[in-house]
Amino acid sequence: DGRAPRVRKVAITARIGDVGDLGDLGEMHLAPGACMGLAPIHARSRSANFTLVVDSAHWGRPLRGKSHSAIWQQIARFPALRDRIPTDAFAAVELDASGPFDWPTTGVTRAGAALAGDAAGYFDPFTGQGIYHALFAASRLACHADRALKRRSRMPLEGYAREIRRSQ
């Protein structure tokens, strides 16, 4: 129920071990057309969730088959990470791929249901707009749903849908 995506990104995610110099906090590293994140899971095994997100127009094609060499070509673009990730990090792990992410909907309500947060529209995570939009949508949905329940209305939440359309 939406338009075609405008932001074309693809992500590769894996749980990897033996990450060098892994701290207690998540990390986000940027390169042109890409970002890479590490989220610590367990300090003793130095394991982390690894995520690589790339602009699919420039970097996505080589990653389609979850190619280890294509992943390493991307890791090489991140000087602060390339020496910290072991060369065999992806040998025995499952790689998950996802994307594109930008599939906003044109309708956020149906009889008996309403969408909020990421389900109601996509915002690039670096802008912070996704958190704002999720909180805004939740607060507006609570008000409109409360009003509809008090009136015992069977009508869709049209006021909520209008507010969400205006906010995007």
Side-chain angles (χ1 to χ4, degrees):
D1 221 16
R3 61 163 172 74
R6 291 185 284 233
V7 180
R8 303 292 291 201
K9 294 183 180 181
V10 64
I12 300 289
T13 302
R15 179 179 241 175
I16 62 174
D18 204 25
V19 177
D21 200 23
L22 185 65
D24 293 335
L25 302 175
E27 304 175 36
M28 187 64 70
H29 301 265
L30 305 175
C35 65
M36 191 176 302
L38 288 175
I41 299 170
H42 194 272
R44 183 172 287 148
S45 67
R46 299 187 307 172
S47 61
N49 283 324
F50 162 91
T51 300
L52 167 66
V53 180
V54 298
D55 177 325
S56 61
H58 294 96
W59 307 103
R61 188 174 210 76
L63 292 171
R64 278 189 184 161
K66 301 178 190 176
S67 158
H68 291 196
S69 64
I71 293 169
W72 277 106
Q73 286 175 341
Q74 290 297 319
I75 292 172
R77 298 175 56 217
F78 295 86
L81 288 175
R82 63 180 166 221
D83 296 330
R84 296 172 50 205
I85 298 174
T87 55
D88 63 350
F90 305 103
V93 299
E94 185 173 331
L95 296 171
D96 294 319
S98 56
F101 305 110
D102 179 26
W103 286 99
T105 61
T106 55
V108 295
T109 61
R110 295 289 185 269
L115 301 176
D118 285 344
Y122 172 83
F123 294 91
D124 195 307
F126 283 108
T127 66
Q129 287 295 314
I131 293 170
Y132 166 80
H133 187 69
L135 293 172
F136 171 79
S139 71
R140 299 315 308 144
L141 179 56
C143 290
H144 287 278
D146 181 58
R147 192 174 309 131
L149 290 169
K150 285 178 179 172
R151 294 180 184 165
R152 298 178 191 242
S153 172
R154 294 189 181 265
M155 298 296 294
L157 301 167
E158 295 299 325
Y160 170 71
R162 277 191 302 278
E163 285 191 58
I164 294 304
R165 274 194 304 274
R166 280 193 301 257
S167 73
Q168 294 178 337

